[in-house]
Amino acid sequence: MFKNKLMIVTLILLTAFALVFTGCGPADEPADVEEPVDVEEPADVEEPADVDEPEGSISEITGIDPGAGIMAATEDAIEVYGLNVGLLESSDAAMTAELDTAIQNEEWIIVTGWSPHWKFAAYDLKYLEDPEEVFGGEEYIATIARTGLEEDHPAVFELLENFNWTDDEIGAVMDMNAQDSDFEANAEQWIEENRDLVDEWIPEGLEGNGEEIDILLVEWDCALASTNVVAAILREAGFDVTMTPVDAGVMWSSIAEGDADFMTTAWLPGTHASYMEQFGDDVVEVRTNYEGARIGLVVPTYVPFDSIADINDYVE
Ligand code: PBE
């Protein structure tokens, strides 16, 4: 013990003498020693890490049905950002299944994504930044009817003028649908559990007496939720309701031509802008049924890029 202390003291003294006699002032020394460490060490450590980091690669964006506005927006994004990726056509259900598989295997995946959608509650996901604003900003979802519905079925039209809901409300229905695909039964159960709200939507004199109402939808989760809830209210009131899943273009054109009564899934002002331009004069925009919708490109949070502008760095 004592010996060690003595040695340490001796060493300190010797060092101090050495510094003084070699002219290395204490001010110079730390600079000489630390500079190379500061400059080189982080560079040495980080460079290979950057190169090794990608544990996957991207070759395509998993899309949905070709008529969806988000598919056209994604084509635009591929062009605007010069992305070296393809866009895969699929459907909401198949895209979400792909997303699930990728997440189970911790693989990278980019999907066409939007809110409201139950996938955000089920997985840790992030929207990629879109500095060129190709996907636009906040959207609203509108109910669109054929011309003449108001005259033919005033109480149905009034129900549509009243129908609107929040993120929590549509979210609850989408969650039920994600667990169990009996959409009609889920809508009926949700109505039972939200009777007060639903009663506020139902106008006096909503009585179907077997009259036919034709509703169109595309099988997007949000549309399945809203369409089935409105359809269940109408069925309960005695209407003979038909819900027909179609392509987005057919949904818009059929309502414009008066072949169907209404739909609850027009995404405006951006996603369905081209449909609105084409058919807007021949349909009736009844009301906004949901506010705060959004579209974009979505990835699991573990994917190492945050911006659409960086995708090409990770393309295989
Ligand atoms: N969506 C969901 C649709 C509208 C609803 C965003 C996928 C689209 O046309 O892109």
Side-chain angles (χ1 to χ4, degrees):
M1 260 322 225
F2 186 71
K3 259 189 180 171
N4 282 347
K5 266 190 191 165
L6 197 66
M7 275 179 69
I8 289 165
V9 171
T10 314
L11 273 173
I12 289 169
L13 284 174
L14 280 172
T15 311
F17 277 122
L19 288 176
V20 171
F21 287 116
T22 52
C24 282
D28 290 342
E29 206 213 342
D32 279 356
V33 174
E34 273 173 30
E35 229 176 273
V37 173
D38 267 357
V39 174
E40 279 167 28
E41 208 193 308
D44 278 357
V45 172
E46 268 173 33
E47 238 175 81
D50 262 353
V51 174
D52 289 346
E53 195 187 315
E55 280 159 20
S57 63
I58 291 291
S59 61
E60 64 199 7
I61 297 169
T62 305
I64 54 166
D65 47 290
I70 198 171
M71 292 296 276
T74 304
E75 296 284 7
D76 288 349
I78 289 173
E79 206 176 301
V80 169
Y81 291 94
L83 301 179
N84 300 318
V85 296
L87 174 59
L88 204 70
E89 280 176 15
S90 143
S91 66
D92 184 357
M95 177 266 282
T96 318
E98 284 287 310
L99 182 65
D100 184 77
T101 308
I103 289 173
Q104 302 304 326
N105 300 323
E106 274 203 45
E107 285 163 6
W108 298 358
I109 185 168
I110 306 177
V111 301
T112 54
W114 63 92
S115 333
H117 194 291
W118 61 269
K119 62 184 176 285
F120 288 96
Y123 308 108
D124 288 330
L125 303 173
K126 61 185 177 187
Y127 276 100
L128 292 179
E129 287 156 25
D130 174 22
E132 302 290 341
E133 296 180 358
V134 174
F135 289 95
E138 194 177 299
E139 305 242 313
Y140 62 93
I141 306 177
T143 301
I144 301 275
R146 69 170 167 88
T147 322
L149 180 70
E150 186 170 11
E151 290 72 39
D152 298 344
H153 297 286
V156 173
F157 193 85
E158 214 180 313
L159 169 70
L160 300 183
E161 283 180 314
N162 294 338
F163 168 64
N164 79 101
W165 55 359
T166 62
D167 200 43
D168 284 348
E169 289 152 1
I170 189 173
V173 179
M174 287 191 296
D175 283 349
M176 292 162 88
N177 290 346
Q179 316 274 326
D180 173 353
S181 60
D182 191 344
F183 306 132
E184 290 193 19
N186 293 341
E188 284 163 13
Q189 188 189 327
W190 184 85
I191 289 168
E192 279 313 311
E193 289 166 3
N194 293 269
R195 214 13 108 178
D196 290 348
L197 175 67
V198 172
D199 281 346
E200 283 173 29
W201 299 337
I202 297 179
E204 263 179 54
L206 185 74
E207 273 168 45
N209 301 316
E211 286 172 56
E212 288 179 12
I213 292 290
D214 289 323
I215 316 177
L216 297 183
L217 75 152
V218 184
E219 287 175 320
W220 302 315
D221 283 282
C222 46
L224 283 163
S226 59
T227 310
N228 274 280
V229 164
V230 174
I233 295 170
L234 289 172
R235 267 199 314 270
E236 198 180 60
F239 289 88
D240 177 6
V241 180
T242 310
M243 280 178 285
T244 313
V246 289
D247 177 75
V250 173
M251 176 174 74
W252 276 90
S253 65
S254 302
I255 290 168
E257 285 158 20
D259 291 340
D261 291 310
F262 69 88
M263 52 110 149
T264 57
T265 187
W267 279 49
L268 299 167
T271 307
H272 289 176
S274 64
Y275 291 129
M276 198 57 176
E277 212 170 287
Q278 203 178 341
F279 302 110
D281 290 344
D282 301 317
V283 299
V284 179
E285 188 176 335
V286 184
R287 85 160 284 165
T288 296
N289 62 53
Y290 179 90
E291 269 173 296
R294 177 182 180 184
I295 67 168
L297 294 183
V298 168
V299 296
T301 45
Y302 59 74
V303 167
F305 46 92
D306 292 317
S307 172
I308 300 171
D310 297 335
I311 291 176
N312 272 350
D313 296 343
Y314 297 84
V315 170
E316 70 185 1

